[in-house]
Amino acid sequence: MEPIEVVVLSGKGGAGKTSVAASIAALLKDKVVSADCDVDAGNLHLLLHPVASKTIDFVSGAVAVVNQNSCTGCGKCIEHCAFDSITMSDDKKAFVHEVLCEGCRFCATVCPEKCITMETHHAGHLFVGSNGPMPVVWADLKGGEDNSGKLVAVVKKEARKEAQRTEREIVIIDGPPGIGCPVTSSLSGAGVVLMVMESTVSGYHDVLRIYDLLLHFKLPGILLINKSDLNNEITEQAKLWAAENGVPVVAEIPYSSLMRDAVMQGVPPVEMGGDIGEKFREVSEFIIEWIKTNR
Ligand code: SF4
Ligand code: SF4
C-alpha cells in the first residue's frame, strides 16, 4: 500500500509547525517516517536527533567555471552574462559567482580562449537516517540557492522509499513556510494537511491562504490552533470558519512556556509531559483515526 503523507503547514514561521510535526513523529515513531521539507532552514532534525546513514549530493543544473590560468581578462564573458554572475579580479581574471549563475552557457560560448567550462552544480545535501526505529529524511540547501521546490520533491521521494522499505504507512512531513513553490511541491501526493495556526490576525490569514491552496489541489485539511489564548476572538473566528468549511479542529493548545523550553532543550514538546503531552497524544490519535476513516 502507498504510504499516506501528512503535511504540516503554517504559512509564516514561528507558529509551532516543527514542534507539532516533531511531537507527532515522536509519539508515532513505531508507525511513521518523518521528513523535513523545510529545506531552506530545516530544524526538525534538531528536535529528533536522527543519526544519518546516507548522505546524497543534491545536484541541480550546471555552473560556469573559469580556468584562471587561461583567462586573459578580455571581459567578453562579463559583457554577455545577462545575470551579472561574473566579476573581474584585480589581477584581470574572470570569476563566476556560483549562486548567481543560471547555467545558461552563454559565457562559455563567447569566451575567445575557450577557458570556461560548465560543471555540475552542487546545491546541497540530502540525509537519510533514523531516530531509533523511525526513518528520518532531511536536507540542507546551500545558502542563496533558489531551487528548494526541487529539493523538497527529492526529500519526499526518499521518504516514500523509506516508508516502502520499512513497510510504514504514514509519512509525517514538516512542510516549508509560506505558500510558494516549495509548499506546492510538498503538497504533491499529500494525503492530508495539518494546518498549524498561531492565534493572531496574521496567523489566521495564513491559514486562509493555505486553505485556498488545498481547495486548488483538492486536498483535505485539519486545523490545530496553537497559542489559542493569545487572541480569543481570533480563535473563535477560526473555529467558526472551520465549522462552516467542514475543517475539523483537532486541538486548541494554549500558550505554554514548555513549548519554548522544549525547543531550547532540543526535544519534541511532547516530551515535556503534562497538558502539552496530553494534547499531542490527542492530535496523534486523531490523525490515526482520520487516516483509518478517510484513506
Ligand atoms: S553560464 Fe550564463 S549565467 Fe552563468 S556565468 Fe555564464 S553567462 Fe552567466
Ligand atoms: S571571456 Fe574568457 S578570457 Fe575573456 S575574461 Fe571571460 S573567461 Fe577570461
Side-chain angles (χ1 to χ4, degrees), residues 93-169:
K93 299 287 180 188
F95 175 79
V96 177
H97 297 267
E98 193 178 335
V99 293
L100 299 176
C101 175
E102 294 285 329
C104 71
R105 298 170 192 266
F106 204 31
C107 55
T109 310
V110 299
C111 173
E113 306 301 325
K114 299 291 172 223
C115 63
I116 300 180
T117 50
M118 302 306 296
E119 297 190 0
T120 303
H121 178 44
H122 295 267
H125 293 98
L126 178 83
F127 306 95
V128 181
S130 60
N131 166 316
M134 173 172 62
V136 182
V137 181
W138 70 106
D140 177 19
L141 192 66
K142 277 189 191 169
E145 295 290 343
D146 62 356
N147 39 17
S148 42
K150 192 172 167 191
L151 184 52
V152 165
V154 180
V155 169
K156 280 170 61 93
K157 189 174 162 202
E158 281 301 319
R160 277 195 290 269
K161 270 164 58 180
E162 282 301 292
Q164 273 152 3
R165 183 182 67 78
T166 56
E167 298 183 343
R168 289 172 178 237
E169 291 182 10

Side-chain angles (χ1 to χ4, degrees), residues 227-289:
K227 304 176 199 169
S228 57
D229 50 353
L230 276 188
N231 187 330
N232 291 326
E233 202 178 312
I234 287 291
T235 293
E236 289 310 312
Q237 201 176 335
K239 283 160 63 182
L240 189 61
W241 166 84
E244 284 169 355
N245 289 278
V247 174
V249 179
V250 63
E252 290 173 49
I253 303 181
Y255 173 81
S256 166
S257 57
L258 288 179
M259 292 277 266
R260 187 202 54 212
D261 294 348
V263 171
M264 289 174 75
Q265 290 173 29
V267 296
V270 67
E271 291 186 11
M272 305 303 277
D275 289 350
I276 292 286
E278 198 44 47
K279 286 283 182 193
F280 282 120
R281 248 173 283 285
E282 286 169 23
V283 173
S284 303
E285 283 163 15
F286 182 97
I287 286 171
I288 294 290
E289 278 310 308

Side-chain angles (χ1 to χ4, degrees), residues 65-68 70-78 86 88 92-96 107 110-116:
V65 176
V66 177
N67 178 340
Q68 302 277 309
S70 313
C71 175
T72 59
C74 71
K76 276 201 170 13
C77 53
I78 296 175
I86 313 174
M88 191 67 77
K92 292 283 173 206
K93 299 287 180 188
F95 175 79
V96 177
C107 55
V110 299
C111 173
E113 306 301 325
K114 299 291 172 223
C115 63
I116 300 180

